[in-house]
Coordinates of all heavy atoms in Angstrom, one line a residue:
V1 N -12.3 -6.9 0.1 CA -12.1 -5.6 -0.6 C -11.9 -4.5 0.5 O -11.0 -3.6 0.4 CB -13.4 -5.2 -1.4 CG1 -13.4 -3.8 -1.9 CG2 -13.5 -6.2 -2.6
S2 N -12.6 -4.6 1.6 CA -12.5 -3.6 2.7 C -11.0 -3.7 3.3 O -10.4 -2.7 3.5 CB -13.5 -3.9 3.7 OG -13.3 -3.1 4.8
N3 N -10.6 -4.9 3.5 CA -9.3 -5.2 4.1 C -8.2 -4.6 3.1 O -7.2 -4.0 3.6 CB -9.0 -6.6 4.3 CG -9.8 -7.1 5.5 OD1 -10.4 -6.3 6.4 ND2 -10.0 -8.4 5.6
L4 N -8.3 -4.9 1.9 CA -7.3 -4.3 0.9 C -7.3 -2.8 0.9 O -6.3 -2.2 0.8 CB -7.5 -4.9 -0.5 CG -7.1 -6.3 -0.7 CD1 -7.6 -6.9 -2.0 CD2 -5.6 -6.5 -0.6
R5 N -8.4 -2.2 0.8 CA -8.5 -0.7 0.9 C -7.8 -0.2 2.1 O -7.1 0.8 2.1 CB -10.0 -0.3 0.8 CG -10.6 -0.4 -0.6 CD -11.8 0.2 -0.8 NE -12.3 0.1 -2.2 CZ -13.5 -0.1 -2.5 NH1 -14.5 -0.2 -1.7 NH2 -13.8 -0.1 -3.8
R6 N -8.1 -0.8 3.2 CA -7.5 -0.4 4.5 C -6.0 -0.6 4.4 O -5.2 0.3 4.8 CB -8.0 -1.1 5.6 CG -7.6 -0.7 7.0 CD -8.3 -1.3 8.1 NE -7.6 -1.3 9.3 CZ -7.2 -2.3 10.0 NH1 -7.4 -3.5 9.7 NH2 -6.4 -2.1 11.1
Y7 N -5.5 -1.7 3.9 CA -4.1 -2.0 3.9 C -3.3 -1.0 3.0 O -2.3 -0.5 3.3 CB -3.9 -3.4 3.3 CG -2.4 -3.9 3.3 CD1 -1.9 -4.4 4.4 CD2 -1.7 -3.9 2.2 CE1 -0.6 -4.9 4.6 CE2 -0.4 -4.3 2.2 CZ 0.2 -4.8 3.4 OH 1.5 -5.2 3.4
F8 N -3.9 -0.7 1.9 CA -3.2 0.2 0.9 C -3.6 1.7 1.1 O -3.1 2.6 0.5 CB -3.5 -0.2 -0.6 CG -2.8 -1.4 -0.9 CD1 -3.5 -2.7 -1.0 CD2 -1.4 -1.4 -1.3 CE1 -2.8 -3.8 -1.4 CE2 -0.7 -2.6 -1.6 CZ -1.4 -3.7 -1.6
G9 N -4.5 1.9 2.1 CA -4.9 3.3 2.4 C -5.8 4.0 1.3 O -5.6 5.2 1.2
T10 N -6.5 3.2 0.6 CA -7.3 3.9 -0.5 C -8.8 3.8 -0.1 O -9.3 3.0 0.6 CB -7.2 3.1 -1.8 OG1 -7.6 1.8 -1.6 CG2 -5.8 3.1 -2.3
G11 N -9.5 4.9 -0.5 CA -11.0 4.9 -0.3 C -11.3 5.1 1.2 O -12.5 4.7 1.6
Q12 N -10.4 5.6 2.0 CA -10.7 5.8 3.4 C -11.3 7.2 3.6 O -11.1 8.1 2.8 CB -9.4 5.9 4.2 CG -8.5 4.6 4.1 CD -9.2 3.5 4.8 OE1 -9.8 3.7 5.8 NE2 -9.0 2.3 4.1
L13 N -12.3 7.3 4.6 CA -12.9 8.5 4.8 C -12.0 9.6 5.3 O -12.0 10.7 5.0 CB -14.1 8.3 5.9 CG -15.2 7.4 5.4 CD1 -16.3 7.2 6.5 CD2 -15.9 8.1 4.2
R14 N -11.1 9.2 6.1 CA -10.0 10.1 6.6 C -8.8 9.7 5.9 O -8.6 8.7 5.3 CB -9.8 9.9 8.1 CG -11.0 10.2 8.9 CD -10.7 10.1 10.4 NE -12.0 10.0 11.1 CZ -12.1 9.1 12.1 NH1 -11.2 8.4 12.5 NH2 -13.3 9.1 12.7
E15 N -7.8 10.6 6.0 CA -6.5 10.3 5.4 C -5.7 9.3 6.2 O -4.8 9.7 6.9 CB -5.7 11.7 5.3 CG -6.3 12.6 4.2 CD -6.2 12.0 2.8 OE1 -5.2 11.4 2.5 OE2 -7.2 12.2 2.1
A16 N -6.1 8.1 6.1 CA -5.5 7.0 6.9 C -4.2 6.6 6.2 O -4.2 6.5 4.9 CB -6.4 5.8 7.0
A17 N -3.2 6.4 7.0 CA -1.9 6.0 6.5 C -2.0 4.5 6.1 O -2.6 3.7 6.9 CB -0.8 6.2 7.4
P18 N -1.5 4.1 4.9 CA -1.6 2.7 4.6 C -0.6 1.9 5.4 O 0.3 2.5 6.1 CB -1.1 2.6 3.1 CG -0.4 3.9 3.0 CD -0.9 4.9 3.9
F19 N -0.7 0.6 5.5 CA 0.2 -0.2 6.2 C 1.5 -0.1 5.5 O 1.6 -0.1 4.3 CB -0.3 -1.7 6.3 CG -1.4 -1.9 7.3 CD1 -2.7 -1.6 6.9 CD2 -1.1 -2.4 8.6 CE1 -3.7 -1.8 7.9 CE2 -2.1 -2.6 9.5 CZ -3.4 -2.3 9.2
T20 N 2.7 -0.2 6.2 CA 3.9 -0.1 5.6 C 4.2 -1.3 4.6 O 4.9 -1.0 3.6 CB 5.1 -0.1 6.6 OG1 5.0 -1.3 7.4 CG2 5.0 1.1 7.5
G21 N 3.7 -2.4 4.8 CA 3.9 -3.5 3.8 C 3.3 -3.2 2.5 O 3.7 -3.9 1.5
S22 N 2.4 -2.2 2.4 CA 1.9 -1.9 1.1 C 2.9 -1.3 0.1 O 2.8 -1.2 -1.1 CB 0.7 -0.9 1.2 OG 1.1 0.3 1.7
R23 N 4.1 -0.9 0.7 CA 5.2 -0.3 -0.1 C 6.2 -1.4 -0.5 O 7.1 -1.0 -1.2 CB 5.8 0.8 0.7 CG 4.9 1.9 0.9 CD 4.6 2.8 -0.3 NE 5.8 3.3 -0.8 CZ 6.1 3.3 -2.2 NH1 5.3 2.8 -3.0 NH2 7.3 3.8 -2.5
F24 N 6.1 -2.6 0.1 CA 7.1 -3.6 -0.1 C 7.6 -3.7 -1.5 O 8.8 -3.7 -1.9 CB 6.7 -4.9 0.4 CG 7.5 -6.1 0.1 CD1 8.7 -6.3 0.7 CD2 7.1 -7.0 -0.9 CE1 9.6 -7.4 0.3 CE2 7.9 -8.1 -1.3 CZ 9.1 -8.2 -0.7
E25 N 6.7 -4.0 -2.4 CA 6.9 -4.3 -3.8 C 7.5 -3.2 -4.6 O 8.2 -3.4 -5.6 CB 5.7 -4.9 -4.4 CG 5.9 -5.6 -5.7 CD 4.6 -6.3 -6.1 OE1 3.6 -6.2 -5.4 OE2 4.6 -6.8 -7.2
H26 N 7.1 -2.0 -4.2 CA 7.4 -0.8 -5.1 C 8.4 0.2 -4.5 O 8.7 1.2 -5.1 CB 6.1 0.0 -5.4 CG 5.1 -1.0 -6.1 ND1 5.3 -1.4 -7.4 CD2 4.0 -1.6 -5.6 CE1 4.2 -2.2 -7.7 NE2 3.4 -2.3 -6.6
L27 N 8.9 -0.1 -3.3 CA 9.9 0.7 -2.6 C 11.1 1.0 -3.6 O 11.6 0.1 -4.1 CB 10.4 0.1 -1.4 CG 11.3 1.1 -0.5 CD1 10.5 2.2 0.1 CD2 11.9 0.2 0.6
A28 N 11.4 2.3 -3.7 CA 12.6 2.6 -4.5 C 12.5 2.2 -6.0 O 13.5 1.9 -6.6 CB 13.9 2.2 -3.9
G29 N 11.3 2.0 -6.5 CA 11.1 1.6 -7.9 C 11.0 0.1 -8.0 O 10.8 -0.4 -9.1
G30 N 11.1 -0.7 -7.0 CA 10.9 -2.1 -7.1 C 12.2 -2.8 -7.4 O 13.1 -2.3 -8.0
G31 N 12.2 -4.1 -7.1 CA 13.5 -4.9 -7.3 C 13.6 -5.6 -8.6 O 14.5 -6.2 -9.0
G32 N 12.6 -5.3 -9.5 CA 12.6 -6.0 -10.9 C 13.2 -5.2 -11.9 O 13.3 -5.6 -13.0
R33 N 13.9 -4.0 -11.5 CA 14.5 -3.2 -12.5 C 15.8 -3.9 -13.0 O 16.5 -4.5 -12.1 CB 14.8 -1.8 -11.9 CG 13.6 -1.0 -11.5 CD 13.9 0.3 -10.9 NE 15.1 0.5 -10.1 CZ 15.2 0.2 -8.8 NH1 14.1 -0.3 -8.1 NH2 16.3 0.4 -8.2
Q34 N 16.2 -3.8 -14.2 CA 17.4 -4.4 -14.7 C 18.6 -4.1 -14.0 O 19.4 -5.0 -13.7 CB 17.5 -3.9 -16.2 CG 18.6 -4.6 -16.9 CD 18.3 -6.1 -17.2 OE1 17.2 -6.5 -17.4 NE2 19.3 -6.9 -17.3
A35 N 18.7 -2.8 -13.5 CA 19.9 -2.5 -12.8 C 20.1 -3.1 -11.5 O 21.3 -3.3 -11.0 CB 19.9 -0.9 -12.6

């Protein structure tokens, strides 16, 4: 749980930036869009 929070940048005491890989699936709306 701690590792996931750190990876996605949630629940951090400071405004920590999430790891860039946390955007993989949702970048530009994600690759599952019909278009």
Side-chain angles (χ1 to χ4, degrees):
V1 171
S2 173
N3 288 344
L4 283 170
R5 285 187 174 145
R6 184 171 162 240
Y7 186 81
F8 288 101
T10 60
Q12 302 291 323
L13 294 177
R14 296 184 201 140
E15 290 297 319
F19 285 83
T20 58
S22 68
R23 296 289 300 137
F24 167 76
E25 195 174 355
H26 303 288
L27 184 72
R33 299 180 326 274
Q34 186 69 29

